[in-house]
Amino acid sequence: MPRLPHRFFGRIFSRRNASPVRHFAQSNAQLLDSSDKLEEETLPWYSQDRFYHVKIGEIFQSRYQVVGKLGFGGYSTVWLSRDLQQHKYVTLKVFERDSSEGERELEAYKRLDAARSSHDGAMLVRTALDSFQIGTTGSFFQCLVHKPLGISLRDLRLRFATSILPEKLVKLTLLHLLLALDYLHTEAGIIHTDIQEKNIMLGIEDDSILVDFEEAEKSNPSPRKIVGDRVIYSSRKLKKTKEHGRPVLCDFGQARFGLESYSSDIQPHIYRAPEVILRIPWDQKVDIWNVGVMTWDLFEKGHLFYGRDSSKQNSDIHHLAEMIALLGPPPTEMLQSSSYASDFFDSQGKWKEAVPVPSTTLEDLEGNLQGAQQELFLAFLRKMLRWRPEDRQTARDLLSDPWLRSP
C-alpha cells in the first residue's frame, strides 16, 4: 500500500498554549431583527425546543468555554471552545435534542477508539476527544469534543479562481481519502454513507488562526438576534491561511456499522449510488460510488449527475437516465432484484423512455485533460462508477491506480 507523504502541504503543526477563562463583552454586539430567521433557524425542521441555544462565554463540564460559533449543520451547531484544563482550543459540536445522528456519530467514535490501529488511514479520520450530554437521561443534547480543523474541501476549492482543484491537489486529496476509507472498511467496520466535500476538512497547521478568531470575537462580537432567553449567533469564519494540513474525513452522523447489507435511504441526492436509487440492499461500496462522483465535483465544472426534473425537483427517473448515458444500461439481474425498477424498465430490462437518455459521454463532459492523461483519469472514474457494487474496486485497489500515482 502506498505510504503517506510526510505532510499534505504547508508547515508542520505547532501548538501554542493559551490562557484559561476568557470574558466576552456583549454590549457592543450588533443586534439583528428578531423576526428574521438566522442560520439554524432556516432549517425546515428547526424548532426552538430541538436545538440547545449555546451562548458565547458559556462553560460546559466546568471545562469547555465557548469562544465563538464556527457554523451549523442539519442537526447540530459547532463552536470553537477552550479546554480550560488542557489550555488548548477544541471544537464543540452540540446536536439537536435526542438526535439519532448524534447517537450514530458517538457510536462511530467509540468504534474508532476501540480499533486503535496503526493503519495509515487512522489519522485521516476525525476522532472525539470527549463526549457529554446536556439535560436529563430521558431527553438530552449530545455533545462531542474534537480537535479543531480548518476549512472544508469545498471552501478550499472555491478559493481557486476556476472553482476547481488543480490535478495534483485532487490526486493528493484522493490518496488521503482512500486511505481513510480503506481503514474504515477493513478495520473499523464503518460505512460512512455521506462522503462529500463539506465532510472533508483540512487540518490546521498554524493555530494562530484560532487565536485570531478568539480575539476578533472579543473586539468585534458576532452579530446575533435575541428572543427571550434565546440567542442565535452569526457564524464567524476562520482567518484565511496558505498553510493547510492533511484532509480529514468527518461527520459520521449517517454512518452504518458492520459490513453487512442495508436497505435504508442514504446519501445526498446527487451522490446516490444506483442500488440506493433502485431500493435494493447496499453495502460499503456506496462509499466508493461517492468518491467517484465527488472526484468529478472537485476537478470539473458542474456536477456529474443532477437528477432533477424541469421544475428542479429531485427525480429518480432523470437521475437514472443520466446514469444510463454515462454507464450504459444496468445489468438485467440488478433490475430483477428491485421491485422499484419496474417504474422505469420493462420486463426485458429496457428503458421505458418516459424521459430521454441524454446523448453524452464522460469523454464529452471532461474538459480539463487531453490524450493519455484524460484516458487514465476516466479509467480511474470508471473503476468506481459501476452499476453493480461488486464490480467497483475497493479503496485499497484504487490506491494503486495509474492516474492517481502519475506525476
Side-chain angles (χ1 to χ4, degrees):
M1 181 187 302
R3 302 290 294 180
L4 282 173
H6 180 59
R7 51 187 170 177
F8 187 55
F9 56 99
R11 294 184 293 142
I12 300 298
F13 174 81
S14 61
R15 177 180 296 165
R16 181 202 298 175
N17 289 339
S19 55
V21 178
R22 297 294 202 252
H23 300 282
F24 296 90
Q26 309 294 329
S27 58
N28 60 333
Q30 178 187 357
L31 295 181
L32 305 176
D33 189 335
S34 62
S35 64
D36 292 336
K37 292 183 178 180
L38 179 65
E39 304 236 336
E40 60 266 25
E41 291 182 307
T42 62
L43 297 169
W45 51 86
Y46 174 86
S47 74
Q48 64 181 54
D49 294 330
R50 290 182 66 171
F51 279 76
Y52 182 86
H53 299 287
V54 177
K55 291 183 172 63
I56 292 174
E58 189 170 1
I59 299 176
F60 295 98
Q61 302 295 100
S62 301
R63 179 174 182 175
Y64 305 113
Q65 183 182 23
V66 177
V67 169
K69 187 177 183 182
L70 289 167
F72 72 99
Y75 307 98
S76 62
T77 54
V78 183
W79 308 80
L80 183 66
S81 304
R82 294 278 304 169
D83 182 340
L84 303 180
Q85 292 182 13
Q86 297 295 321
H87 307 289
K88 64 182 181 181
Y89 290 102
V90 295
T91 297
L92 178 64
K93 187 173 186 178
V94 182
F95 287 90
E96 65 176 1
R97 185 185 298 276
D98 302 330
S99 168
S100 59
E101 286 75 17
E103 292 178 7
R104 279 201 197 101
E105 191 146 5
L106 179 61
E107 175 62 24
Y109 294 129
K110 288 180 179 178
R111 285 174 173 259
L112 292 169
D113 185 59
R116 296 187 180 277
S117 173
S118 60
H119 190 294
D120 269 346
M123 66 177 177
L124 304 173
V125 174
R126 193 171 214 178
T127 55
L129 302 174
D130 194 8
S131 66
F132 60 92
Q133 296 173 351
I134 304 171
T136 65
T137 54
S139 181
F140 58 85
F141 302 92
Q142 181 66 55
C143 302
L144 294 169
V145 181
H146 301 284
K147 178 181 177 179
L149 291 172
I151 63 173
S152 71
L153 199 57
R154 179 180 183 275
D155 289 339
L156 177 67
R157 176 177 60 80
L158 294 177
R159 288 185 178 179
F160 287 86
T162 57
S163 294
I164 61 174
L165 293 181
E167 182 182 4
K168 183 176 181 180
L169 192 52
V170 172
K171 292 176 181 177
L172 195 53
T173 298
L174 291 172
L175 172 64
H176 287 73
L177 176 58
L178 290 169
L179 280 168
L181 277 183
D182 184 57
Y183 165 61
L184 290 181
H185 292 171
T186 63
E187 296 194 16
I190 295 176
I191 310 172
H192 190 281
T193 83
D194 192 18
I195 297 172
Q196 51 181 312
E197 292 174 286
K198 72 181 184 68
N199 289 340
I200 300 171
M201 303 184 74
L202 302 183
I204 295 176
E205 293 289 286
D206 179 3
D207 66 348
S208 68
I209 65 172
L210 304 178
V211 176
D212 290 342
F213 183 100
E214 179 180 343
E215 292 305 312
E217 185 60 44
K218 290 171 63 179
S219 61
N220 183 25
S222 299
R224 66 204 61 187
K225 57 177 284 188
I226 300 176
V227 183
D229 62 349
R230 293 189 296 121
V231 183
I232 308 293
Y233 298 90
S234 296
S235 299
R236 182 184 297 276
K237 291 185 180 295
L238 291 170
K239 184 178 178 180
K240 287 187 178 182
T241 176
K242 294 181 180 180
E243 301 164 354
H244 299 288
R246 301 180 190 278
V248 177
L249 183 58
C250 304
D251 291 293
F252 290 86
Q254 298 297 326
R256 301 296 189 272
F257 310 112
L259 301 183
E260 64 268 20
S261 295
Y262 293 86
S263 57
S264 50
D265 194 23
I266 56 164
Q267 299 180 305
H269 185 77
I270 61 171
Y271 287 159
R272 285 185 176 175
E275 61 269 32
V276 176
I277 295 176
L278 292 171
R279 304 178 187 178
I280 56 181
W282 51 265
D283 59 19
Q284 70 270 21
K285 288 298 186 69
V286 296
D287 285 345
I288 301 300
W289 177 274
N290 265 188
V291 174
V293 181
M294 190 194 71
T295 298
W296 187 273
D297 285 357
L298 294 175
F299 193 48
E300 307 289 341
K301 290 186 178 296
H303 298 302
L304 185 59
F305 302 110
Y306 288 88
R308 293 185 176 184
D309 59 23
S310 58
S311 62
K312 305 300 181 182
Q313 298 297 308
N314 291 338
S315 167
D316 288 345
I317 192 170
H318 287 80
H319 204 159
L320 289 168
E322 291 174 322
M323 289 181 178
I324 293 171
L326 301 184
L327 309 182
T332 303
E333 65 271 17
M334 187 176 186
L335 299 177
Q336 291 173 343
S337 65
S338 165
S339 59
Y340 187 46
S342 61
D343 288 6
F344 316 108
F345 301 89
D346 65 21
S347 59
Q348 304 302 312
K350 294 183 179 180
W351 184 245
K352 289 184 176 180
E353 299 185 356
V355 301
V357 172
S359 180
T360 190
T361 65
L362 281 176
E363 285 78 5
D364 294 333
L365 296 175
E366 203 291 308
N368 290 332
L369 300 171
Q370 295 179 345
Q373 276 299 101
Q374 184 188 68
E375 291 178 7
L376 287 173
F377 173 62
L378 296 182
F380 173 70
L381 287 183
R382 288 184 169 114
K383 293 175 181 178
M384 297 177 279
L385 301 178
R386 296 182 177 179
W387 284 104
R388 300 198 317 164
E390 57 268 35
D391 292 339
R392 296 171 208 152
Q393 288 198 354
T394 66
R396 182 170 297 185
D397 291 336
L398 289 164
L399 284 165
S400 299
D401 177 80
W403 175 77
L404 197 60
R405 297 179 63 186
S406 63

